[in-house]
Amino acid sequence: MRSMSSTDTDITVHRPDQLSDPLRTAWHRAMDESPEYANPFLSPEFAVGVGAHRGGVEIGVLHEHGEPVGFLPYERNILGVGRAIGLGLSDRQALVHRPGIIWDTEELLRGCGLASFEFDHLVEEQKPFGRYVTGMFASPVIDLEPGDGDYARWLRATYPGQAKTTLKKERRLGRDIGEVRFVFDERDPKVLRRLMEWKSAQYRRTGRMDRFARPWIVDLVDHLFRLREEHFTGVLSVLYAGDRPVAAHFGPRSRTVLAAWFTAYDPEFHYYSPGLMMHLRTAEAAARHGVRLIDLGRGDKEYKDWLKTRELRVGEGFATRPHPVAAAHRMWRRPVRGLRNTVLAHPGLREPADRLLKTVGALRSSRRTAPRTH
């Protein structure tokens, strides 16, 4: 543990395995007192999970009059360049703090030993980071109200535009393959492995980076799947036709928020729109299990437009303090992020980019399956 004090701030720095029970309790209290911090990606369990499978994870703790009141998890390299924990995986980032806490960004970075701090899903309410934000983006969510357990009635009332077609496809799936059933909290690890296989194939097919080709991400998902705690649970939801898994989703949940994270389906059944079925079934069941909000994550997708009830805003940028390493890192990373955002923000560029990625994915796939010649 490191510490740094000033007249205004007392900051201690901890490794994830040094996070004591009192610190976890104080962290959970900060989450409970501020709805904007209720997301499971902002929990100590997610930070500890990433830290168990990835090096360089630290947690800066702000103290006021000796009491822990704020928590910033991050990944740090030997040069002092920091990034939000799980950058690229996490759909919500923040200094999680109790209401009314005032803090200074440069002092925070100095106390954590960071020259810079990169983020891409920063909670909008993080005002001290405001001048470092280079872009704000929509992050769609679904507000939930529990129904009476009748899925068809809930669907017709909540998504009338999707209900008729979706229910018709479910009936057809049941006739063609087997009775359709849904398990909100499946505990069979073999089905989780099947989801990873589907998702890996989807990444390759569309030319995206295969996250599950990285062992630490596989290990992290396995770790979170096993967590069954009051403030954090890894939830695997599965749509079956007969005994056959057709689609699945895995994501973390806090007491009130479920994060939509990894969704995939068996491409053999694409005709039935199993991905949309999966999202709708998950929303209805999550509401019955106490979830009040599903975070769909930043990004423009047609299904998100269909499902969302409103949008939150998340920020992207680089918080820095005067330091030569910070300037060099910002000069290197900002153009890369700017190019990516330009493509994503313009359909005229995004659609050709998607087609190119899919073409690359198809070529890679054909190379893997082509017989060797000698």
Side-chain angles (χ1 to χ4, degrees):
M1 181 182 75
R2 304 194 307 271
S3 64
M4 180 174 179
S5 300
S6 74
T7 56
D8 299 317
T9 308
D10 179 18
I11 301 172
T12 58
V13 178
H14 307 252
R15 295 196 311 269
D17 58 1
Q18 296 175 324
L19 201 64
S20 65
D21 288 341
L23 286 178
R24 285 182 183 236
T25 298
W27 193 331
H28 287 141
R29 179 181 178 183
M31 293 179 68
D32 291 342
E33 291 180 346
S34 300
E36 61 266 27
Y37 302 140
N39 193 291
F41 286 121
L42 301 178
S43 70
E45 289 80 9
F46 182 72
V48 170
V50 175
H53 302 287
R54 188 167 173 83
V57 172
E58 296 181 341
I59 299 160
V61 180
L62 274 67
H63 301 261
E64 188 175 80
H65 306 299
E67 182 181 2
V69 296
F71 303 84
L72 179 71
Y74 55 88
E75 300 174 30
R76 179 183 184 276
N77 69 15
I78 59 174
L79 298 176
V81 172
R83 45 186 269 161
I85 193 165
L87 190 77
L89 281 177
S90 168
D91 286 339
R92 210 49 107 240
Q93 300 144 7
L95 167 68
V96 178
H97 62 81
R98 294 184 59 189
I101 299 302
I102 299 173
W103 47 279
D104 176 78
T105 300
E106 288 191 16
E107 188 173 317
L108 173 66
L109 296 182
R110 189 174 296 107
C112 293
L114 297 176
S116 65
F117 174 69
E118 181 179 357
F119 50 85
D120 64 356
H121 286 78
L122 187 76
V123 171
E124 185 176 17
E125 287 76 8
Q126 299 275 278
K127 301 304 182 187
F129 279 130
R131 68 190 183 96
Y132 303 100
V133 171
T134 57
M136 295 296 296
F137 303 89
S139 184
V141 299
I142 308 173
D143 295 292
L144 299 176
E145 293 289 341
D148 59 6
D150 186 325
Y151 169 70
R153 182 157 53 207
W154 173 89
L155 184 59
R156 292 187 184 100
T158 309
Y159 293 102
Q162 304 297 324
K164 183 177 180 179
T165 300
T166 300
L167 292 172
K168 181 179 179 180
K169 287 186 175 182
E170 282 201 11
R171 289 192 296 270
R172 184 175 296 159
L173 177 63
R175 289 195 303 267
D176 294 348
I177 308 300
E179 181 183 1
V180 174
R181 62 189 178 90
F182 177 77
V183 179
F184 175 67
D185 191 11
E186 174 65 80
R187 303 315 300 167
D188 186 349
K190 293 192 296 295
V191 184
L192 178 64
R193 197 62 51 182
R194 180 74 61 84
L195 168 61
M196 293 186 195
E197 292 169 357
W198 288 340
K199 198 67 180 177
S200 286
Q202 178 189 334
Y203 285 139
R204 295 192 299 269
R205 192 167 59 245
T206 56
R208 265 70 176 182
M209 181 197 77
D210 181 2
R211 289 176 172 174
F212 292 116
R214 300 189 174 189
W216 79 268
I217 295 180
V218 174
D219 293 342
L220 172 64
V221 170
D222 284 337
H223 171 92
L224 298 180
F225 171 69
R226 294 191 297 270
L227 282 185
R228 312 284 292 174
E229 300 185 8
E230 178 185 0
H231 293 85
F232 188 103
T233 301
V235 179
L236 173 65
S237 301
V238 186
L239 183 71
Y240 290 93
D243 294 327
R244 186 168 179 177
V246 172
H249 167 265
F250 177 77
R253 68 160 288 187
S254 63
R255 284 176 169 173
T256 58
V257 178
L258 173 66
W261 207 14
F262 295 112
T263 302
Y265 58 85
D266 188 334
E268 181 179 336
F269 301 105
H270 70 93
Y271 173 75
Y272 302 96
S273 303
L276 182 59
M277 288 184 195
M278 185 75 236
H279 285 294
L280 292 168
R281 286 276 186 174
T282 299
E284 188 272 337
R288 288 188 282 109
H289 284 79
V291 174
R292 294 294 170 262
L293 185 141
I294 293 181
D295 184 352
L296 296 173
R298 169 185 161 185
D300 295 323
K301 297 289 184 182
E302 189 175 30
Y303 77 88
K304 295 183 183 182
D305 289 335
W306 290 341
L307 296 173
K308 69 183 180 183
T309 56
R310 60 189 171 100
E311 293 178 343
L312 302 178
R313 304 285 289 175
V314 295
E316 177 178 289
F318 306 83
T320 60
R321 63 185 176 94
H323 196 286
V325 169
H329 177 69
R330 185 183 179 94
M331 289 176 61
W332 170 58
R333 288 288 292 162
R334 186 169 182 177
V336 175
R337 285 207 170 275
L339 177 60
R340 174 183 177 273
N341 292 333
T342 298
V343 171
L344 292 177
H346 294 84
L349 297 175
R350 185 171 66 243
E351 292 170 9
D354 278 341
R355 288 197 297 270
L356 176 60
L357 287 172
K358 288 176 182 177
T359 300
V360 172
L363 290 173
R364 288 174 177 170
S365 178
S366 65
R367 287 176 182 172
R368 280 192 295 269
T369 57
R372 291 192 218 173
T373 57
H374 299 281

